[in-house]
């Protein structure tokens, strides 16, 4: 048997192992993170986006189904829960600063959450999109687990919502730093809160790269917006649709 045949047989064997796809996922992110570091963590060089493109390219090239891939990737998926809970640590460290900014936090939360839902859904309605698409757009700024649940309960397309959540997070993480600099917003609490409110976990990861205070308030915004979106999405959609 020639070398190419042996490599193919080896790949067929490895591709059925969950460990293979876990390794591919982690390896793609490590490679993406190194590229981001080489760029000086330029917001355009977003490690999440790069890792997603790498993994999709490998799955497409090998003809691997999503279900086979997820057998390994589910371990990363499981780790999202503990990682989210771990955000409580910087929140506790900066609890005094959070209490001092409680009123601005509440006002920004309500305004930002309503704006995210109304703008996305309103544009879809004006462009004549089906109700299911408008519903899928509504929770796009909430973290994925909450957004998908909201979409499913209200009659949207959970898969479309998941895609929109990822796109929103990546896009927000790319533009948040240049946009805040352009607007001359120097307060890291405000910058971080805006990132977490609109771009959930991916925006929060970017905020922590910039400054711990920004990351703390981004994590706070992500958590609060998830709760508020789940509470008001149905009411807002009822008024708009």
């Amino acid at each position: 048997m020639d070398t190419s045949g042996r490599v193919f047989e080896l790949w067929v064997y490895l591709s059925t192992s969950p460990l293979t796809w876990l390794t591919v996922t982690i390896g793609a992110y490590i490679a993406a993170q190194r590229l981001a570091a080489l760029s000086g963590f330029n917001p355009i060089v977003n490690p999440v986006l790069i890792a997603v493109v790498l993994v999709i390219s490998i799955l497409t090239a090998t003809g691997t189904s999503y279900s086979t891939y997820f057998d390994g990737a589910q371990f990363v998926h499981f780790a999202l829960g503990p990682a989210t809970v771990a955000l409580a640590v910087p929140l506790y460290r900066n609890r005094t600063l959070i209490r001092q900014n409680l009123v601005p936090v509440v006002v920004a939360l309500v305004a930002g959450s309503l704006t995210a839902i109304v703008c996305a859904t309103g544009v879809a309605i004006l462009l004549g999109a089906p109700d299911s698409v408008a519903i899928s757009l509504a929770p796009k700024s909430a973290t994925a687990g909450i957004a998908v649940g909201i979409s499913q309960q209200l009659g949207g397309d959970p898969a479309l919502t998941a895609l929109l959540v990822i796109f929103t997070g990546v896009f927000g993480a790319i533009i948040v730093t240049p946009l805040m600099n352009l607007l001359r917003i120097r307060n890291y609490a405000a910058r971080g809160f805006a990132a977490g409110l609109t771009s959930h976990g991916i925006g929060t990861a970017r905020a922590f790269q910039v400054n711990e205070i920004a990351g703390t308030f981004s994590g706070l915004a992500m958590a609060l917006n998830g709760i508020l979106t789940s509470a008001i999405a149905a009411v807002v959609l009822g008024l708009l649709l």
Side-chain angles (χ1 to χ4, degrees):
M1 184 181 295
D2 59 14
T3 303
S4 60
R6 290 175 181 174
V7 171
F8 177 76
E9 284 192 355
L10 178 62
W11 172 252
V12 170
Y13 169 75
L14 290 175
S15 65
T16 60
S17 171
L19 182 60
T20 298
W21 297 111
L22 176 62
T23 304
V24 167
T25 303
I26 295 174
Y29 186 76
I30 291 174
Q33 188 72 4
R34 288 185 177 177
L35 286 174
L38 289 173
S39 73
F41 292 103
N42 188 301
I44 297 177
V45 187
N46 185 273
V48 175
L49 177 60
I50 295 171
V52 167
V53 172
L54 286 174
V55 171
I56 290 176
S57 299
I58 294 172
L59 293 178
T60 302
T62 59
T64 303
S65 67
Y66 176 77
S67 59
T68 299
Y69 165 74
F70 193 71
D71 285 341
Q74 63 180 323
F75 300 109
V76 177
H77 180 75
F78 171 79
L80 288 175
T84 302
V85 174
L87 290 173
V89 175
L91 289 176
Y92 179 78
R93 288 175 180 168
N94 295 281
R95 60 191 182 279
T96 301
L97 183 59
I98 293 173
R99 282 198 297 265
Q100 292 172 351
N101 290 276
L102 191 58
V103 173
V105 161
V106 173
V107 173
L109 172 66
V110 175
S113 186
L114 282 172
T115 300
I117 297 173
V118 171
C119 286
T121 309
V123 170
I125 294 171
L126 289 174
L127 294 177
D131 286 356
S132 60
V133 173
I135 294 170
S136 301
L137 275 163
K140 66 176 180 55
S141 288
T143 189
I146 296 175
V148 170
I150 294 171
S151 178
Q152 190 171 20
Q153 288 293 322
L154 298 181
D157 184 342
L160 177 59
T161 298
L163 178 63
L164 292 167
V165 167
I166 294 173
F167 176 81
T168 301
V170 171
F171 183 72
I174 290 174
I175 70 167
V176 63
T177 298
L179 179 61
M180 293 298 173
N181 290 340
L182 180 64
L183 296 174
R184 298 182 180 180
I185 298 174
R186 308 300 181 195
N187 186 303
Y188 280 114
R191 291 167 69 116
F193 198 85
L197 184 62
T198 57
S199 304
H200 45 82
I202 301 176
T204 299
R206 171 60 186 168
F208 270 112
Q209 288 180 340
V210 175
N211 180 272
E212 183 180 348
I213 297 298
T216 298
F217 276 83
S218 184
L220 176 65
M222 178 182 70
L224 294 178
N225 188 44
I227 296 171
L228 185 59
T229 300
S230 63
I232 68 174
V235 177
V236 176
L237 284 170
L239 294 172
L240 292 175
L241 296 176

